[in-house]
Amino acid sequence: LGADVTHRAAGISVAAVVASRDSSFTAYFSELRAQSPFALGADRRRQRKSEERIVDLTRMVQALLGRWREAHGTLPTTVLYYRDGVSDGQFFPVLSLELNYLVEAFKNAGGPTY
């Protein structure tokens, strides 16, 4: 799996996750989501806040695992997660959130032992 968030794409942030679909890593499944780059401040005004975590990661990865299962008849036995675009200051908060999202996606796709 590979994941990244890009900002300022027509005024929104776009989260993307891709998953290889073959053993030579030449074809991929993909999932994209728009994420709001704004948050309401204390004064109730919109403020730009680039969200680096992937908000809908659980459903995105669950969909990718489902597409893998449809193509191969089983879930993958090994999954590597490559994450781009996270600064040093955001690394640990993003890691802890996204790790939990990934665990949830794997359990939803393959049961509690997957």
Side-chain angles (χ1 to χ4, degrees):
L1 299 169
D4 195 8
V5 178
T6 187
H7 306 287
R8 301 183 206 270
I12 60 171
S13 295
V14 177
V17 182
V18 297
S20 60
R21 53 189 293 179
D22 60 8
S23 61
S24 59
F25 307 106
T26 59
Y28 296 87
F29 298 118
S30 62
E31 288 287 321
L32 300 170
R33 299 286 191 284
Q35 298 184 168
S36 174
F38 297 101
L40 285 177
D43 58 358
R44 308 292 295 165
R45 300 176 93 185
R46 285 181 10 149
Q47 298 174 340
R48 181 150 190 86
K49 178 185 177 215
S50 296
E51 185 69 68
E52 205 49 57
R53 70 187 175 104
I54 299 176
V55 177
D56 203 21
L57 183 63
T58 298
R59 289 193 301 177
M60 294 170 79
V61 171
Q62 190 174 337
L64 292 168
L65 290 169
R67 290 166 70 189
W68 174 276
R69 185 186 333 219
E70 288 173 13
H72 299 282
T74 185
L75 291 169
T77 57
T78 303
V79 177
L80 302 176
Y81 184 64
Y82 292 93
R83 183 61 160 85
D84 192 25
V86 179
S87 68
D88 290 343
Q90 295 177 323
F91 179 78
F92 288 108
V94 169
L95 173 66
S96 63
L97 283 169
E98 290 187 2
L99 181 60
N100 289 327
Y101 294 159
L102 290 169
V103 168
E104 185 178 346
F106 294 138
K107 286 181 181 178
N108 290 346
T113 60
Y114 181 62

